[in-house]
Amino acid sequence: MKKTTKILTIILFIGLFSCVFKNENQEYAEMLIEKVETFKKENNRLPKNVSEFGFTEFMDSPAFYQIENDSTYIVWYGLSVGESKIYRSSTKKWTKEG
């Protein structure tokens, strides 16, 4: 009985931790989108990278910005190995890919 309780507790903890982690990534990604849209409105162009609005992007950043062309961009973050959640400015929608 104790072993089953421990296993269930560990599974619950991992599940809760992954939900919190994904929510933090989502919140950061949504903040990036707001920054990009504000920059675009003020400068009549998309930023070349996040440093143009004062951010630094690292390999382990919660989310990433990528310009696609003069008028569209994506913001994305990883969900698991080979799976990402991607916001496309052209559709203004989030999709899961991978």
Side-chain angles (χ1 to χ4, degrees), residues 4-95:
T4 304
T5 304
K6 286 181 184 179
I7 291 171
L8 289 175
T9 302
I10 290 170
I11 291 171
L12 179 63
F13 177 74
I14 291 170
L16 288 174
F17 178 75
S18 66
C19 289
V20 169
F21 182 71
K22 287 178 188 173
N23 286 337
E24 288 175 3
N25 289 355
Q26 181 75 30
E27 288 175 18
Y28 184 83
E30 288 172 0
M31 184 197 48
L32 276 181
I33 294 166
E34 287 177 30
K35 294 283 188 183
V36 170
E37 291 297 330
T38 300
F39 183 96
K40 182 179 175 184
K41 192 179 291 184
E42 293 172 353
N43 298 282
N44 294 318
R45 67 174 179 86
L46 291 174
K48 292 178 181 136
N49 53 52
V50 297
S51 66
E52 288 202 77
F53 50 81
F55 281 40
T56 304
E57 199 168 78
F58 298 102
M59 291 287 290
D60 61 348
S61 291
F64 303 91
Y65 164 76
Q66 181 179 333
I67 192 167
E68 290 190 306
N69 59 47
D70 290 343
S71 61
T72 63
Y73 65 92
I74 62 172
V75 171
W76 63 274
Y77 62 91
L79 296 172
S80 62
V81 176
E83 186 177 42
S84 298
K85 193 164 182 184
I86 302 172
Y87 173 83
R88 298 187 183 283
S89 66
S90 58
T91 62
K92 299 193 182 320
K93 293 185 180 182
W94 285 95
T95 58

